[in-house]
Amino acid sequence: MTVGVSRVSLVFVGLSVWLVLFALGVYALVAHAPRPTPHLPPTPVVRGGLYAQDGTPLALSLEEGRYYPLGKSASQLLGFGERGSGRGLEGLERDLNGALSQGRSFTLTIDPWIQAMAEQALWQGLAQSRGAFATALVLDREARLLAVANGPAFDPLAPRKDPARDLSWRNHAFLVALEPGSTMKALTAAMLLEEGAATLDTRVEAPMARRLEGWTIQDVVPHPPRLTLAEVLKYSSNVGISLLAEALPKEVFYSYMERLHFTDPTPLPGVRTTPPVVKPPEAWSRVAYANHTFGQGFLITPLHLAAAFASLTDGLYRTPRLFASQEVRPERVFSPATVQAVRQALREGLAPRAHLPGYPLAGKTGTAQVVVGGRYSREVFTAWFAGFVPGDRPLYTVVVAVHHPKGEVHGSQVAAPIFREIAARLLAYRGLPPYAEGR
């Protein structure tokens, strides 16, 4: 019996050892076997943001979707995207869609305080004028766009209306080409001075109307029959500037238009703008050239005008800048003496409604007839003002355009007061007290 029990015990022990070894082998196989990779959904790329120069967020992606922290402010510049997908449809959301969709963010040159100041003045002036739309731009001395204001105001998060009827979504500053009207006279005067074809004291016989090639060029503001170039700017004489400009070959005039980028379809790299409409000089008749000298017969955006007008601060044209990382290469167009003389004339001839007591502002009005149905309308105008804050040593260039104002229609009546309000806020923002010119 004892021998039988011992054999059973040995068999049991052996079997136990075999089971343990087998279990260890199975464990080793399982532990070192390749594990299948779980099929997890890919991490979505968060759409990049847009930020103001001081870091203020302008456009962000949240769980609920795209969010614009400043609401209506700068909304036409920023644009908007497709509900759900986030794909950019308008504004910078569209222009930068590829980079934004890959998670890249951008810092703009926009100053949110100056943007708000410009918008409040513009929206108030637009309401008073009952205009169709309006825009205002503020550039600093380095051509950085500190404000791109548009009206009527647009809420990017509100239900969208028919875009063909409600144009509040549109960045008029970049996307609408208009005739600049008499604001062009300041640039024509600079060309005359630069070429030695006139001085501010050069006189011209300037009747209230002039017949040329079967067309009549007329003045609006009553003035003496003989004017200096400075007075031509003060009274905004179409007759006077067109006669003085005859001292310049039209090819020279056009070359200045090119250097001021009036023929440039992309004045702001990377951002969609409406191309100018400017015919080459060989296509100009005498009357067409005369019209060009006072801002008729060609189309540019308010952005084009603002960048060109900014060259009257120091004579250098700078590509307008909207991105903090954007490089600028100044191009000499006018001498310092030329631009100083032009700004002096613009200070002395400043429209009364642009005056701000204690500050020597400078600027030029414009009232451009709008072509409707192939003919210049007697009812539809664009009221302009382009100027400098302050006028003696400019810190800012400001351009205002109000399209189709009702009642009062002239730039001196409609756009000049908006310029004055923007100027007052800019000067307060900089903490500049009233001072005597030349201080």
Side-chain angles (χ1 to χ4, degrees), residues 39-45:
H39 295 285
L40 299 175
T43 302
V45 177

Side-chain angles (χ1 to χ4, degrees), residues 12-84:
F12 178 77
V13 170
L15 182 61
S16 298
V17 171
W18 182 84
L19 289 172
V20 169
L21 293 174
F22 179 78
L24 290 173
V26 171
Y27 172 78
L29 289 173
V30 172
H32 293 87
R35 298 181 179 180
T37 303
H39 295 285
L40 299 175
T43 302
V45 177
V46 177
R47 187 175 177 85
L50 298 171
Y51 298 87
Q53 61 168 257
D54 63 356
T56 298
L58 303 175
L60 296 171
S61 285
L62 305 177
E63 291 184 4
E64 298 79 10
R66 201 64 167 166
Y67 181 61
Y68 303 93
L70 299 189
K72 297 177 181 178
S73 188
S75 58
Q76 295 94 342
L77 172 66
L78 301 174
F80 54 85
E82 203 170 46
R83 308 265 191 214

Side-chain angles (χ1 to χ4, degrees), residues 162-287:
D162 181 354
R165 296 177 178 271
D166 176 23
L167 298 178
S168 63
W169 57 268
R170 188 172 63 187
N171 182 3
H172 312 295
F174 295 178
L175 299 180
V176 181
L178 302 163
E179 293 191 355
S182 291
T183 58
M184 186 65 192
K185 289 174 185 152
L187 296 168
T188 301
M191 298 175 198
L192 289 165
L193 295 178
E194 190 69 17
E195 292 297 314
T199 69
L200 291 180
D201 296 323
T202 298
R203 293 186 176 274
V204 62
E205 298 291 337
M208 290 297 295
R210 174 192 180 197
R211 290 286 292 177
L212 183 61
E213 295 184 337
W215 296 85
T216 300
I217 298 172
Q218 292 183 317
D219 287 346
V220 176
V221 180
H223 58 72
R226 188 171 173 81
L227 301 173
T228 65
L229 174 55
E231 291 170 334
V232 165
L233 295 176
K234 177 181 178 179
Y235 292 106
S236 199
S237 171
N238 297 335
V239 173
I241 198 70
S242 65
L243 287 168
L244 287 168
E246 288 187 343
L248 288 179
K250 60 184 180 181
E251 292 78 12
V252 172
F253 185 92
Y254 181 80
S255 72
Y256 275 99
M257 295 183 75
E258 289 183 310
R259 292 160 68 186
L260 292 169
H261 290 249
F262 279 175
T263 60
D264 189 349
T266 55
L268 186 56
V271 177
R272 182 169 57 111
T273 54
T274 294
V277 179
V278 183
K279 293 181 179 179
E282 54 268 23
W284 299 354
S285 63
R286 284 188 65 199
V287 70

